[in-house]
Amino acid sequence: MAKTTKHLLIVGLGNYTHPNTRHSVGMMIVDALAQRFNAPWVKRGAWQSEIATINTTLRIPKQKPPKAIPYPSAARRAVQMIADADAASTTATATNPSPSSTAESTSTTEPTSTTDAPSPVSPESTTIAKPKTKKSPEMISMDVTLTLLKPTLLMNVSGISVQMAVKGLGIPHSDLIVIHDDMERELGKVSYKTHGSHNGHNGIKSVIKSLSSQYFKRLRIGIGRPTAPSGNRDQDVVSKFVLGKFKPLEMKTLEEQVYDLARDEVLRMVVPSKSLNEVRGTTWST
């Protein structure tokens, strides 16, 4: 079984002093990951953050190579070609017999029928296909270290913590994923983004500034928009909404849908795959 290693930095953005609010849903996601693996949070003063470390192993189904032409079908065609050639040779001999055998065949045998007879098929040609046996897929084993991080700074300067962690761990930006709230998506919707602008999110804006790059992965967690008054985007209304805590039914949606979706999206960074369907069957050791 092939084995590789991977180290990822997973950042949950939010307001550290306002836990379990809509604006801190990124921190709630990494809290759920840490809880699943019983990973304790510890203060990391140099990074102005809290971190939790997960060491785990993934068992990933190996991708199958493109299908080749099945051997039994090819062999069956080859046997049939040989049988056809033998039949053609037999017909030619019967149609043009040699002079020495003409008299003998006339006196001792019945006239040969010119009707083509079916060519004989050897027993081997009818038993080429072997019964199929279902085999377990070959698995790839991967040792993974996840460093979870919650900045203790304010949201609009949280990029400082992220930059110090990236430098301290010595990981490339391609192994960083930042999880944050998104008002443009309904609650329960999870969206993966490989790079791009901050789209008005102050936390992402700070990370881009601190890294001097927008080329890092993000996981956007939908929190919706305030519903009353309808369509109101007043700054005070929006601020009150994002700093408010999730309602019980909203928490149920997070726990039953979003946490698992977020875990699957994290797999995109680990598994060499393009779609979530291709990572189904992957297992975590806890």
Side-chain angles (χ1 to χ4, degrees):
M1 180 184 293
K3 198 166 190 176
T4 56
T5 59
K6 190 79 170 178
H7 190 175
L8 307 176
L9 173 61
I10 314 296
V11 177
L13 292 184
N15 287 314
Y16 186 76
T17 56
H18 294 78
N20 300 321
T21 60
R22 294 180 179 89
H23 210 26
S24 297
V25 70
M27 290 185 174
M28 296 171 68
I29 298 295
V30 293
D31 275 334
L33 274 173
Q35 183 178 11
R36 175 171 181 176
F37 289 91
N38 296 316
W41 290 98
V42 295
K43 291 280 188 180
R44 191 66 177 263
W47 297 351
Q48 300 186 68
S49 63
E50 278 191 355
I51 66 169
T53 303
I54 298 171
N55 292 302
T56 184
T57 300
L58 300 183
R59 297 185 69 249
I60 309 163
K62 187 175 181 180
Q63 293 183 349
K64 296 180 180 179
K67 289 185 178 181
I69 298 176
Y71 172 77
S73 297
R76 192 177 295 110
R77 287 196 297 271
V79 170
Q80 187 61 48
M81 290 175 64
I82 294 173
D84 291 343
D86 289 344
S89 176
T90 302
T91 302
T93 303
T95 305
N96 301 297
S98 62
S100 60
S101 62
T102 301
E104 181 180 354
S105 62
T106 302
S107 59
T108 60
T109 63
E110 295 288 335
T112 303
S113 173
T114 57
T115 304
D116 292 337
S119 58
V121 181
S122 62
E124 291 78 3
S125 66
T126 61
T127 58
I128 293 176
K130 295 182 179 180
K132 295 181 179 180
T133 56
K134 188 174 182 181
K135 296 181 179 179
S136 300
E138 185 179 352
M139 306 295 285
I140 299 173
S141 180
M142 180 179 289
D143 290 334
V144 179
T145 297
L146 302 178
T147 297
L148 311 180
L149 183 141
K150 295 189 296 185
T152 56
L153 298 171
L154 295 175
M155 175 74 87
N156 60 357
V157 291
S158 56
I160 297 173
S161 296
V162 178
Q163 190 273 336
M164 289 189 293
V166 167
K167 182 178 179 180
L169 295 173
I171 66 171
H173 295 172
S174 58
D175 288 338
L176 164 68
I177 185 168
V178 180
I179 307 175
H180 66 92
D181 61 299
D182 186 358
M183 287 202 304
E184 300 304 322
R185 287 167 174 76
E186 297 178 3
L187 179 68
K189 300 294 184 181
V190 176
S191 175
Y192 175 79
K193 185 176 182 180
T194 57
H195 65 278
S197 65
H198 54 78
N199 288 334
H201 193 284
N202 289 331
I204 294 297
K205 183 178 181 179
S206 176
V207 175
I208 290 175
K209 180 180 178 180
S210 297
L211 295 179
S212 299
S213 173
Q214 62 176 1
Y215 289 93
F216 58 90
K217 300 178 181 67
R218 305 97 188 265
L219 191 58
R220 300 173 291 187
I221 311 299
I223 61 171
R225 278 192 172 274
T227 56
S230 178
N232 196 328
R233 293 182 178 233
D234 180 79
Q235 187 61 39
D236 291 337
V237 174
V238 170
S239 179
K240 183 178 180 180
F241 176 75
V242 298
L243 294 179
K245 290 182 178 291
F246 286 104
K247 298 176 181 178
L249 286 179
E250 293 175 329
M251 282 299 303
K252 185 177 181 181
T253 298
L254 288 175
E255 294 169 355
E256 295 181 356
Q257 299 179 28
V258 177
Y259 291 163
D260 285 341
L261 284 174
R263 186 216 66 156
D264 286 344
E265 287 290 357
V266 169
L267 282 177
R268 282 181 185 251
M269 298 184 62
V270 182
V271 182
S273 172
K274 293 183 179 180
S275 70
L276 285 179
N277 288 335
E278 294 174 330
V279 303
R280 302 304 181 194
T282 301
T283 58
W284 303 68
S285 63
T286 57

